[in-house]
């Protein structure tokens, strides 16, 4: 066996070793990227779930507030035309509509609805963010 043959064998072994190390490094980088993506997805899932819970709380508060504002008005407004008799029903029919519109104009509009939902959503998103960072 000549010295050239031994050198070529050693060079081939070194090249094979370097190729194996490079392949392992690439696989390690791919796994790290996949783990980072999974971690980011888990954090976003936690924050999204918390936001959904806050939205449900806000929606139930909005529904309760809306029901509380309109329930007494509709009940009183519906009784007035019936008690007044058949002739003044046409004049009394506008009373429930006007009485129902008053709470809406006094702060029951779209912005008030958004405000009723926004606070619980913001609180829940903050808690979700803290949970995603702590755990």
């Amino acid at each position: 066996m000549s010295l050239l043959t031994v050198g070529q064998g050693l060079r081939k072994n070194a090249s094979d070793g370097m190729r194996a190390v490079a392949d392992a490094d690439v696989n390690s980088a791919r796994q790290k990227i996949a783990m980072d993506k999974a971690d980011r997805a888990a954090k976003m899932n936690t924050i999204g779930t918390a936001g959904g819970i806050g939205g449900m709380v806000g929606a139930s508060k909005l529904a309760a507030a809306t029901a509380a504002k309109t329930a007494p008005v509709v009940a009183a407004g519906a009784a007035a035309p019936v008690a007044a008799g058949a002739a003044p029903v046409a004049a009394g029919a506008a009373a429930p509509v006007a009485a129902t519109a008053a709470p809406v104009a006094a702060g029951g509009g779209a912005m008030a609805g958004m405000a009723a939902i926004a606070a619980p959503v913001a609180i829940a998103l903050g808690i979700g963010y803290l949970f995603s960072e702590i755990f």
Side-chain angles (χ1 to χ4, degrees):
M1 187 185 265
S2 75
L3 194 55
L4 290 174
T5 307
V6 171
Q8 287 175 349
L10 289 174
R11 184 177 52 89
K12 183 184 179 304
N13 286 344
S15 293
D16 290 344
M18 293 298 281
R19 188 176 303 115
V21 169
D23 289 344
D25 191 38
V26 167
N27 287 336
S28 174
R30 284 182 186 156
Q31 289 175 350
K32 184 180 181 322
I33 290 170
M35 288 176 61
D36 288 344
K37 284 183 180 180
D39 186 42
R40 198 173 319 123
K43 285 181 179 183
M44 291 298 120
N45 188 17
T46 301
I47 292 171
T49 300
I53 292 169
M56 290 188 314
V57 169
S60 66
K61 285 185 177 184
L62 177 64
T66 304
K69 284 182 182 179
T70 58
V73 172
V74 171
V82 174
V89 168
V97 174
T100 305
V104 173
M111 292 304 286
M114 287 176 50
I117 294 176
V121 169
I123 292 169
L125 286 175
I127 292 170
Y129 177 76
L130 288 175
F131 280 172
S132 70
E133 292 298 317
I134 292 172
F135 300 110

